[in-house]
Amino acid sequence: MKYKEEVIKDYLLEYLKDNELTINNEDIHDIVFNQDYFIIGYYNAEQWLIDEHGKNRTFEVLSYVMDQEKDNFGSIETVYDNAETLVNHYAYWLGYEVIAEIQEELINN
């Protein structure tokens, strides 16, 4: 499981519940992870990057985000010059995986 994947999954499920949306909506990723910020504020994002043991996960998250951007766009265009940008991009990319996992679970059940 990736860093804070459960947090992102919980955020998604809460968003769906609060806005009376379903996971099967074809625009759900865009609605949840692109039309609004996952986290707001540099300080909040910096704290989010520190795990419960005090370990800073910035480079792990940065590596994941850069790999996703390179794999999907062929190059890295985004400048990750602050924690807020980094965390929101991380939620964006990991959000795809979380949605796909939930949708797969629903199909298999």
Side-chain angles (χ1 to χ4, degrees):
M1 180 164 290
K2 292 181 178 63
Y3 179 64
K4 291 203 176 179
E5 185 173 343
E6 278 300 315
V7 172
I8 291 171
K9 183 177 182 178
D10 291 345
Y11 173 82
L12 167 66
L13 295 174
E14 189 71 27
Y15 191 98
L16 295 174
K17 180 181 166 193
D18 290 349
N19 293 283
E20 298 179 3
L21 297 169
T22 67
I23 195 74
N24 294 321
N25 182 322
E26 67 183 46
D27 297 323
I28 200 63
H29 180 267
D30 181 62
I31 293 167
V32 177
F33 295 106
N34 199 35
Q35 292 183 11
D36 202 359
Y37 291 103
F38 171 73
I39 201 163
I40 298 174
Y42 295 158
Y43 178 80
N44 292 335
E46 289 166 1
Q47 295 306 302
W48 194 88
L49 289 165
I50 299 170
D51 70 17
E52 64 275 4
H53 305 292
K55 181 179 177 188
N56 189 318
R57 299 297 199 91
T58 298
F59 290 108
E60 176 185 337
V61 170
L62 179 61
S63 177
Y64 173 81
V65 170
M66 290 174 72
D67 286 347
Q68 291 301 313
E69 194 166 327
K70 190 172 182 183
D71 290 348
N72 286 278
F73 301 130
S75 65
I76 300 166
E77 303 292 327
T78 306
V79 176
Y80 298 103
D81 60 352
N82 64 70
E84 185 180 52
T85 299
L86 178 59
V87 170
N88 282 302
H89 277 80
Y90 183 72
Y92 174 85
W93 288 114
L94 193 52
Y96 273 119
E97 293 181 35
V98 169
I99 289 170
E101 288 171 9
I102 293 170
Q103 289 173 334
E104 187 175 324
E105 286 174 14
L106 291 173
I107 290 170
N108 293 331
N109 290 330

